[in-house]
Amino acid sequence: MALAVIRTPSIEPWKPLQRKPLPAGRPREWYVTHNRRLKAMRLAIALLDAGVYLPSKATDTTIRTTAESIGIHPPSDTTCRMVRALIRYGR
């Protein structure tokens, strides 16, 4: 006999994970690339949540508008390309 389990949502509000400091001693370019990847991931998630599922629909203007709406600095052209790549390969 199968038993259905109904999960109730948590009463406590969502809390973001605590950030850990980045490892010391790496070349500066590593930190720049790392932060760019994190920003591209945040933007790709926000675009997917907004219903932008195709890279062709994620223009630079759309990505920069999304960045402004979620409260992060406008991304560079390189970051915009990374966002489109994340949307493309996430399918």
Side-chain angles (χ1 to χ4, degrees):
M1 179 167 153
L3 179 66
V5 177
I6 299 174
R7 293 183 57 180
T8 58
S10 176
I11 297 172
E12 295 182 23
W14 177 80
K15 294 179 186 175
L17 297 173
Q18 287 186 343
R19 292 185 179 188
K20 298 178 189 174
L22 293 175
R26 306 264 176 134
R28 185 178 191 285
E29 188 60 34
W30 184 90
Y31 297 104
V32 170
T33 304
H34 177 77
N35 289 329
R36 180 171 280 145
R37 286 180 184 150
L38 291 177
K39 186 179 207 174
M41 286 286 284
R42 284 193 296 270
L43 286 167
I45 291 167
L47 286 168
L48 290 170
D49 287 344
V52 178
Y53 300 113
L54 298 174
S56 59
K57 298 286 184 182
T59 62
D60 287 352
T61 307
T62 306
I63 294 171
R64 289 188 175 114
T65 304
T66 303
E68 183 180 330
S69 68
I70 63 174
I72 59 177
H73 289 283
S76 65
D77 292 339
T78 305
T79 306
C80 290
R81 280 193 301 273
M82 288 178 79
V83 170
R84 283 189 286 276
L86 286 170
I87 292 173
R88 179 180 306 117
Y89 294 119
R91 296 185 65 163

